[in-house]
């Protein structure tokens, strides 16, 4: 820095020269001193220059005692779960007071590989938002599925010099870490300081190893015991409230004055409807305050604690030299966002959303490649010769049992009718067929099984959002309806759809890698709401979000029975097993 | 790291292989989770591998429920103030449970320049102690004195690659920072992340600039208001309890659950007697607990908070991968140190001190160079011609007024007798003469003045410890006694002495730069105690530590009137002024 610019910065901070913006009569929620105090706040060229008194500014705002809070930080989130483009996602977060997010493009990377990561980096580049990227550490997530890419340490290392790349994304393969698998060691030894954790169900002794490997955050706690085990070993615990996994209220009782500095707030996965109607981190703050937490403590968790846990100096506080990202509120307990500033410039007022031009998506729209496809691949042969003792018109099969409000499934055994040697669905038992079609490499792989508990009585439902490999997953009562749903997904270049008889009764194209829309958030939320209403007419239970459920039925890391393009997976044994017994 | 060593580390942490040491039935003061819980603690090759359960170890210690606390950290201390060699200092700190200190070799650097810094680095190199060095930022401290060295950014930068060098030492010249003096800008732009603060009396608005320049710690708070002003701007506040400046009890009321993470403990300057009889950071912990603070909160301040404020990853906690520095205690509230471990090896048991071999000091012992010296330089001419209205046998002079228990002096005007044209001391008024002799460059500079309030009635007292330039300072009732004290200091190659008539009635040689002894701590403390007793026989007030007072009478940054080798300094005006009016 030149001498004159150093002097200029000192003079700005001292209140000796005219600055861009001064907030007068602000009630600052001070995350360092842990108190609220009235002060003026000086801002120049996007940075706070200090607090106290500032005589002269280009713009002076009298806040009349309104609260100023540092811009909120989401420490761990997947943009793809919102179904929105990165631009829409950031716009929506800004309107909710969130100015910083650490995004892990794990989903798009499973489909598009490095190109997907590059797209996320490119699409947020010009936005008035602090988007940091944690590089997906587990692509593919497991060996029992076919993904669109395989990213090793070498592939990830190409992104390390990008200024938005701050580390390694959630290391789900904790076995790979603690058992020191060579490919994982290579990733763990990438020269990054932030390595994000994800280790539900890890033994408490093994947690030592996971932490010692350099992984110091965890967002998968669902009980106070899990949280305590992790806090004791030094983890920064991310209290999560997503659309699917909701842990915040369960964990708040474990937050104390002595450990709250280790705690931060994250959303992980939030659907567009929840983002629009409930909010983002602002919603978590409201929830925590309603649950009885001290607002200042909650705000520390939503700001400076996150910045420190992740390693984002200059963010998360109102202090000299910090980036001037802040939120204005009238009432701290209600925590309704009035105005949102990023680098000293207003981005949103009373929930209005900034409009951003979009980065071209043309390179990402061709993501559905089924290879050789025939509806006959949906057939399940009954293996009559192997089960002579069975009634020849019934077959005993393994069925995935969907549970209400849960991503965990049951491994069921059911008898299903057999016609012409093929096992049939059974509307009476509400047992449908499920198939996962590999859509990346054109292998033509199709896994087929049966599912109970969705409530589906007729028609079919399909999606190209299916964790973590995002193959095409389809559930239906007839092969014909399933085939139409599959064809509809192919024609859309990826998306969600509902089919009844020979009609497509609803759909949302997701042209960006088959994961994200190029439409506006509100439009998508509206269509999605309509789709969910229509799903009810097919018999889908009100206790089940059908698309979310579909998206997790192919994730072979959550117990008990899942289906991938390679077949049925016994998650506990981590083995492929036969559908028909 | 090789694959096998990664695997080995994982296995150690998981409890699968034999490790060096396991502590069983430990009650861990967990600074992350903010609680005390019983656990086993595994240690291997100097590092904690984890907590939980460990089956097999070379050495197993049953702590029977005794407490384990992370090794204490002193975030800001000057070794020289202990009068001890670095080896003795570290040994003493270890016996008090302190395993880490950030030392600022500001004093020896003012005498010896870069050679002094190198000596500190060399002397601690082989010790079982985490000694980190903050490079002295203000050598010389002011332009109104002559020091032994002048260290610019260029000189400091030569040390930046040394692994013990972690940043820039206390930036006392806050005017230089906020007014952007070129030499200070160069220092502020050295590529270090830690810049230690020292800005008492800075305006609260100017604090913005000081923080924005990258200085994020402060140990000079003496009131809760000063502390609040600094916390609000993001400073990590170092609560200090030294031998001279004692601020801990005044500041504790300002520590809250919401801000304690920003607070840490430091000693700054502690004399050998206090270190031996009271302790180091352990003493501050006891003091804070006695004052009513929660022991866990205090221990966080004394460990992890310090590590984070300064930037010492892997220190200050018991957690997987952290350095195995810890303290064992029987009673948390009494906080008496039972055993002290550094990197998993016991260093001290019940206050016993480890013995360390010493780094050679031969290059540092030749530090007293008075140049051309004559006792006649102590004479103060009365300027009778300029004050014809005065009684020709009295002169009106400025006198430094020493105040009890304070480093601040008063600027007094007194009348003193004149004999043969020279102003005399006055035992009746207990006004003595003071002189500061430049001892580094042989300039022959001598500043002479008068001092009241020490209580000295006869004899002389001299020291080569005299902040911050450490010239030779002498106070006495007669020029003859002062000259003998000066000669004694010269003969010792630096040190402290007391003279009565023609006898040296006490002395301590300080051969290391005229600042530090090569003797053992206990021996020095005993001699120093004897010296202080003898000082009383010369009339020195019991309310004054004569050597500490002497050491600060030449520090021209603490108000109101001080004396340097260049003459009397009006500190508020920051100008040299005449002694005789």
């Amino acid at each position: 820095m030149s001498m004159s610019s150093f002097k200029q910065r000192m003079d700005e901070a001292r209140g000796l020269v005219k600055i861009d913006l001064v907030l007068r009569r602000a009630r600052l929620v001070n995350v360092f001193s842990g108190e609220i105090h009235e002060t003026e706040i000086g801002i120049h060229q996007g940075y706070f220059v200090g607090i106290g008194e500032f005589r002269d500014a280009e713009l002076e705002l009298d806040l009349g005692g309104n609260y100023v809070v540092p811009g909120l930080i989401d420490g761990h989130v997947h943009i793809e779960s919102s179904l929105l483009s990165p631009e829409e996602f950031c716009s929506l977060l800004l309107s909710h007071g969130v100015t910083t997010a650490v995004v892990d493009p794990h989903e798009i990377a499973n489909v598009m590989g490095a190109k997907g990561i590059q797209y996320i980096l490119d699409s947020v580049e010009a936005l008035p938002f602090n988007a940091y990227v944690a590089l997906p550490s587990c692509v593919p997530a497991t060996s029992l599925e076919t993904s669109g890419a395989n990213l090793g340490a070498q592939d990830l290392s190409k992104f390390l010099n990008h200024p938005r790349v701050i580390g390694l994304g959630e290391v789900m393969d904790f076995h790979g870490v603690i058992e020191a698998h060579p490919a994982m060691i290579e990733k763990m030894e990438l020269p990054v300081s932030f390595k994000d954790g994800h280790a539900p169900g890890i033994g408490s002794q093994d947690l030592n190893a996971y932490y010692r490997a350099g992984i110091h955050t965890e967002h998968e706690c669902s009980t106070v015991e899990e949280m305590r085990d992790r806090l004791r070993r030094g983890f920064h615990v991310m209290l999560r409230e997503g659309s699917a996994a909701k842990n915040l209220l369960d964990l708040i009782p474990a937050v104390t004055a002595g450990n709250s500095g280790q705690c931060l707030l994250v959303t992980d996965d939030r659907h567009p409807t929840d983002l629009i109607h409930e909010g983002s981190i602002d919603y978590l703050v409201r929830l925590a305050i309603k649950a009885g937490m001290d607002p200042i403590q909650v705000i520390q968790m939503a700001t400076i604690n996150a910045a420190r846990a992740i390693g984002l100096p200059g963010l998360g506080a109102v202090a000299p030299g910090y980036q001037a990202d802040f939120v204005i509120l009238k009432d701290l307990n209600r925590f309704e966002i009035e105005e949102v500033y990023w680098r000293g410039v207003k981005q949103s007022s009373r929930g209005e959303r900034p409009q951003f031009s979009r980065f071209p998506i043309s390179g990402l729209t061709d993501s559905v490649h089924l290879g050789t496809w025939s509806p006959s691949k949906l057939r399940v042969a009954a293996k009559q010769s192997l089960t002579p003792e069975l009634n020849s018109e019934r077959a005993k099969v393994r069925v995935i049992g969907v549970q209400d409000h849960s991503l965990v499934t049951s491994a069921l055994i059911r008898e299903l009718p057999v016609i012409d040697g093929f096992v049939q669905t059974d509307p009476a038992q509400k047992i449908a067929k499920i198939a996962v079609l590999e859509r990346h490499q054109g292998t033509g792989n199709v896994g087929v099984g049966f599912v109970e508990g969705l409530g589906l009585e007729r028609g079919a439902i399909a999606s190209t959002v299916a964790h973590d490999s995002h193959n095409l997953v389809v559930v239906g009562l007839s092969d014909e309806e399933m085939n139409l749903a599959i064809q509809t997904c192919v024609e859309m270049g990826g998306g969600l759809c509902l089919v009844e008889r020979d009609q497509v009764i609803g759909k949302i194209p997701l042209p960006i890698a088959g994961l994200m829309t190029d439409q506006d958030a509100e439009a998508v939320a509206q269509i999605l709401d309509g789709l969910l209403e229509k799903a009810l007419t097919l018999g889908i239970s009100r206790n089940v979000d059908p698309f979310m459920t579909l998206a997790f039925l192919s994730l072979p890391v959550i117990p008990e029975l899942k289906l991938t393009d390679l077949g049925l997976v016994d998650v506990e044994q981590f083995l492929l097993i036969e559908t028909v017994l």
Side-chain angles (χ1 to χ4, degrees), chain A residues 48 69-71 99-100 130 315 318 323-327 341-344:
Chain A
F48 295 114
V69 169
T99 52
T100 301
N130 313 311
L315 296 180
V318 174
Q323 195 169 307
D325 307 336
F326 60 97
V327 174
Y341 285 72
W342 180 83
R343 289 199 187 165

Side-chain angles (χ1 to χ4, degrees), chain A residues 26 29 39 67-68 227 335 338 361 403 435 454 495 506 513 528 541 561:
Chain A
V29 179
T39 184
Y67 295 89
V68 171
M227 179 163 162
F335 208 82
E338 282 289 313
I361 61 169
Q403 303 176 23
L454 274 171
L528 192 58
S541 159
L561 193 62

Side-chain angles (χ1 to χ4, degrees), chain A residues 72-75 98 265-267 279-286 302:
Chain A
L72 307 179
I73 299 176
D74 191 339
V98 180
L265 303 178
V266 306
T267 64
S280 171
I281 295 294
D282 59 323
Y283 170 70
L284 278 67
V285 172
R286 285 189 292 272

Side-chain angles (χ1 to χ4, degrees), chain A residues 165-433:
Chain A
V165 170
I166 55 159
L168 201 61
E170 51 180 329
V171 185
M172 299 182 291
D173 179 14
F174 66 78
H175 289 289
V177 175
I178 67 176
E179 291 161 11
H181 299 168
M184 184 50 78
I185 296 179
E186 282 181 29
K187 289 175 188 166
M188 297 310 295
E189 294 187 339
L190 287 172
V192 296
S193 57
F194 173 62
K195 293 173 187 141
D196 201 13
H198 168 119
I202 189 173
S204 65
Q205 196 67 27
D206 291 342
L207 263 182
N208 290 330
Y210 194 65
Y211 186 90
R212 200 178 181 196
I215 300 166
H216 295 173
T217 56
E218 168 67 290
H219 62 270
E220 288 289 340
C221 298
S222 57
T223 67
V224 294
E225 291 74 22
E226 287 174 324
M227 179 163 162
R228 188 200 58 196
D229 270 359
R230 284 155 179 76
L231 284 173
R232 285 181 174 178
R233 281 163 180 85
F235 284 88
H236 299 269
V237 172
M238 297 168 153
L239 284 72
R240 172 179 60 182
E241 188 78 2
S243 287
K246 298 175 188 292
N247 309 112
L248 183 61
L249 296 179
D250 291 334
L251 300 181
I252 281 177
V255 179
T256 68
N259 68 31
S260 72
Q262 294 288 112
C263 301
L264 57 152
L265 303 178
V266 306
T267 64
D268 198 0
D269 298 288
R270 289 218 120 213
H271 297 167
T273 313
D274 290 345
L275 280 173
I276 289 172
H277 297 137
E278 292 180 341
S280 171
I281 295 294
D282 59 323
Y283 170 70
L284 278 67
V285 172
R286 285 189 292 272
L287 213 55
I289 292 173
K290 266 185 207 146
M293 279 193 70
D294 169 44
I296 298 174
Q297 193 181 30
V298 178
I299 291 165
Q300 287 175 323
M301 287 164 55
T303 58
I304 189 69
N305 295 6
R308 287 178 168 172
I310 292 154
L312 301 172
L315 296 180
V318 174
Y322 275 57
Q323 195 169 307
D325 307 336
F326 60 97
V327 174
I328 298 173
L329 306 159
K330 282 186 175 162
D331 182 306
L332 203 58
N333 288 301
R334 295 170 60 89
F335 208 82
E336 288 170 359
I337 311 293
E338 282 289 313
E339 294 188 346
V340 184
Y341 285 72
W342 180 83
R343 289 199 187 165
V345 177
K346 184 155 65 179
Q347 303 296 333
S348 171
S349 198
R350 300 191 184 192
E352 278 173 24
R353 301 208 289 110
Q355 294 301 314
F356 301 135
S357 62
R358 305 272 175 86
F359 192 81
I361 61 169
S362 50
L364 302 150
T365 52
D366 181 24
S367 74
V368 184
H369 311 105
L370 296 189
T372 309
W373 167 245
S374 153
S376 65
K377 289 191 174 182
L378 294 172
R379 290 185 191 158
V380 178
K383 294 195 196 170
Q384 281 171 307
S385 62
L386 295 174
T387 55
E389 75 282 5
L390 269 179
N391 176 332
S392 67
E393 299 198 335
R394 312 275 298 166
K396 199 179 265 188
V397 297
R398 290 194 174 90
V399 172
I400 300 171
V402 170
Q403 303 176 23
D404 289 354
H405 306 299
S406 174
L407 303 182
V408 173
T409 61
S410 320
L412 307 173
I413 308 283
R414 293 284 185 264
E415 284 190 15
L416 289 176
V418 175
I419 298 176
D420 294 338
F422 296 105
V423 185
Q424 305 295 309
T425 63
D426 186 353
Q429 295 188 77
K430 296 190 183 176
I431 294 179
K433 192 180 280 182

Side-chain angles (χ1 to χ4, degrees), chain A residues 49-61:
Chain A
V49 302
I51 59 174
E53 292 177 8
F54 297 88
R55 280 172 305 191
D56 201 11
E58 293 289 342
L59 179 62
E60 307 189 7
L61 295 179

